[in-house]
């Protein structure tokens, strides 16, 4: 994910929304970052995780809603940060608009691509935590690692590999068996 050449001092969400169809970018603190198309493996992981989460919510009659990228997250109460997490779970319906999510989703999952490593592990981690995301997973296929940040309570950090069963913190009964996902 590369920073685009700067034409103006600070970009806003208006610029992102004016991009031509097929051009994707994210905005963090007024700096715009281009996004490349995800790999097949990235899409497979995102899709299977989304299905597991969605099926669990439906089976339990839950009110949270999962969304898969591209899905707009206007993270802060300003026009300086716009993200498209791979998976966003929103449990507060008032945050949802026709444009996407206004505010912090409850749970975000990012699947690391070679060009998004620094963004996912550093910049987005800080932004998601500061904005009030309750739980953040970084799924790294190159390292076969899942890093789970639980920002509630003791703010614990846990690490797993692709053979483990990972429990979701925001849902009491949801466990995702990464080995069973056949990634």
């Amino acid at each position: 994910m590369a920073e685009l050449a700067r034409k103006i001092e600070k970009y806003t969400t208006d610029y992102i929304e004016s991009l031509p169809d097929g051009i994707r970018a994210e905005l963090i603190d007024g700096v715009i970052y281009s996004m490349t198309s995800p790999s097949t493996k990235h899409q497979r992981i995102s899709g299977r995780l989304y299905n597991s989460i969605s099926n669990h919510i439906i089976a339990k009659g839950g009110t949270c809603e999962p969304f898969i990228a591209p899905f707009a997250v206007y993270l802060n109460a300003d026009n300086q940060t716009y993200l498209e997490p791979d998976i966003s779970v929103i449990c507060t319906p008032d945050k949802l608009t026709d444009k996407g999510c206004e505010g912090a989703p409850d749970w975000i999952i990012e699947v690391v691509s070679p060009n998004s490593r620094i963004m996912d592990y550093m910049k987005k981690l800080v932004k998601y935590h500061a904005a009030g995301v309750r739980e953040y997973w970084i799924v790294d296929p190159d390292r076969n690692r899942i890093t789970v940040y639980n920002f509630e309570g003791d703010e614990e950090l846990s690490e797993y590999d692709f053979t483990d069963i990972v429990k979701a913190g925001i849902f009491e009964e949801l466990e995702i068996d990464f080995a069973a996902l056949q990634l």
Side-chain angles (χ1 to χ4, degrees), residues 54-65 171:
S54 181
N55 289 340
H56 173 80
I57 292 170
I58 290 167
K60 297 296 179 184
T63 58
C64 297
E65 262 190 279
F171 297 116

Side-chain angles (χ1 to χ4, degrees), residues 37-141:
S37 296
S39 69
T40 301
K41 186 173 189 176
H42 182 284
Q43 289 297 86
R44 183 178 296 121
I45 293 168
S46 295
R48 291 182 180 161
L49 286 171
Y50 170 83
N51 285 339
S52 295
I53 295 163
S54 181
N55 289 340
H56 173 80
I57 292 170
I58 290 167
K60 297 296 179 184
T63 58
C64 297
E65 262 190 279
F67 296 90
I68 195 164
F71 177 74
V73 172
Y74 298 85
L75 193 60
N76 301 321
D78 62 23
N79 64 354
Q80 301 291 306
T81 301
Y82 166 97
L83 298 164
E84 292 184 4
D86 292 308
I87 299 172
S88 304
V89 179
I90 294 97
C91 299
T92 308
D94 293 348
K95 290 183 180 180
L96 295 172
T97 69
D98 285 341
K99 291 170 61 173
C101 178
E102 299 280 344
D106 294 88
W107 180 16
I108 289 177
I109 299 175
E110 293 283 8
V111 179
V112 177
S113 297
N115 62 347
S116 74
R117 186 167 301 286
I118 291 172
M119 291 291 289
D120 294 337
Y121 278 101
M122 298 175 77
K123 290 185 181 194
K124 288 182 179 181
L125 170 64
V126 170
K127 293 304 288 184
Y128 292 153
H129 184 248
V133 171
R134 295 168 52 200
E135 185 169 354
Y136 177 41
W137 289 18
I138 302 172
V139 178
D140 192 333

Side-chain angles (χ1 to χ4, degrees), residues 127-175:
K127 293 304 288 184
Y128 292 153
H129 184 248
V133 171
R134 295 168 52 200
E135 185 169 354
Y136 177 41
W137 289 18
I138 302 172
V139 178
D140 192 333
D142 288 341
R143 295 180 179 162
N144 290 322
R145 300 293 297 164
I146 303 101
T147 306
V148 175
Y149 294 91
N150 181 346
F151 295 137
E152 295 184 311
D154 60 5
E155 297 187 16
E156 70 182 50
L157 162 71
S158 303
E159 291 194 311
Y160 305 90
D161 65 36
F162 278 31
T163 62
D164 290 330
I165 296 172
V166 182
K167 179 168 179 354
I170 70 165
F171 297 116
E172 226 170 274
E173 299 174 5
L174 175 59
E175 295 180 335

